[in-house]
Amino acid sequence: MQPSELVMNPKQVFLSVLVFGVAGLLLFMYLQVCIEEQHPGRVEKRREQRATSGWGPVNYLQSIPRIMTREKIQEHITNQNPKSHMLKDPKDKPENLLNSKRPTRVFTETNHSQGEAPALGRNPGSPTIRLIEKQQGTKILFRKFSETNWSVDIRPLNKSLVTDSKWKRIDATQEKRRSFLQEFCKKYGGVSHPQSHVFHMVSRIYVEDKHKILYCEVPKAGCSNWKRILMVLNGLASSAYNISHDAVHYGKHLKKLDSFDLKGIYSRLNTYTKAVFVRDPMERLVSAFRDKFEHPNSYYHPVFGKAIIKKYRPNACEEALNNGSGVKFKEFIHYLLDSHRPVGMDIHWEKVSKLCYPCLIHYDFVGKFETLEEDANYFLQLIGAPKELKFPNFKDRHSSDKRTNAQVVGQYLKDLTRTERQLIYDFYYLDYLMFNYTTPFL
């Protein structure tokens, strides 16, 4: 054979590349179908996560009226939604203030696989078609769930297990909190149809099936010790005092409500005792800042700290830009109120109205950090917990630091202008209203 015969002409090279390319594409498509057939749940959950992404920041850096009392706050809300007090027809609903300032995801009839269906329709027995059919069944469940009228009435708590009269005062306070929140949601919530993705709505709720509890986690409001209690109730530990911080937050011992299918979510929401524990928003904000930015942290400094210093500190030194440590409270507030944040929100300073959706999920028990121990121990009585189980009172981290209270908050707010303090309040005003907290340091 002559050497010249070993050299392929350009036409042969093109055909060879084309054949190998088509073969590779077909192999990729085959492997993708196999993966979807074997792990449909993972594929669906990834699509659900994509569907709930894109929650954009709100522009709070704008002039607003000074809001000094609860009456004026409610007047401010009424001015924003004047129709809410003019509705005569009970079918008409006021605008849902929980979603009035930020775009929301709503339930739709759209099938995520619509674009693939026409091309694959010729082979009804293929694995991908079976996956599409399963998604269509899920879509029907979503529609039924979204069409359900979530009753604004809160189920009465079962107090038959409470025998000690010392709980009467706490019970009376609890009823006032529940009715206050209920009235607020009736007036401003517009809650007949949830305007949010259900899996996103319940993503912060922990499940304890033995005692039928749903607990919505609000960071910096006693959540670490509450998760310890849930682990003890679940039989995962004998004492809340023996569970480390890492086991609580990284052990993944507890189930969340979004890990169940829609039927499991809906049945638990309707039959389990739902609890949320909240805290004064300004105290919670300062507590989060102290915890995440005033102590060494391998996540918040490089992720949040570097971005905050880079955008909000003029002439920042190279060391601060490289490690992200030393963020100042004023810089953190500029980040919080910025409509173009360099990095997204975090659950430690996100609003309770966006973490737990208290006007869409009607909580049976509303506890407060300010009365945490007595509220928590009363709740344990209500659900029939072992008598020896008491809510732990130790500080989970940085135990040598003084607890964040009104006096500590005042020290941090001294560096802010009156306008900045007002804007922080405006950012959290729904939380202040829903849970009946007094006007902060304005």
Side-chain angles (χ1 to χ4, degrees), residues 407-421:
Q407 183 181 6
V408 172
V409 171
Q411 294 298 316
Y412 281 81
L413 295 185
K414 284 197 306 185
D415 295 331
L416 304 182
T417 66
R418 184 180 180 86
T419 299
E420 287 168 337
R421 296 197 300 270

Side-chain angles (χ1 to χ4, degrees), residues 35 93 151 160 172 209 236 256 261 281 307 341 345 378 389 410:
I35 291 171
K93 295 292 181 181
S151 171
S160 61
D209 285 313
L236 300 173
K256 287 186 177 180
D261 60 16
R341 299 186 192 102
M345 282 294 289
Y378 178 53
L389 181 61

Side-chain angles (χ1 to χ4, degrees), residues 208-236:
E208 202 282 290
D209 285 313
K210 184 177 179 182
H211 295 81
K212 296 187 176 182
I213 301 169
L214 297 180
Y215 162 72
C216 187
E217 175 190 27
V218 177
K220 312 312 299 177
C223 69
S224 297
N225 282 337
W226 258 117
K227 285 191 272 189
R228 288 183 170 94
I229 288 290
L230 294 179
M231 291 174 70
V232 174
L233 291 173
N234 227 352
L236 300 173

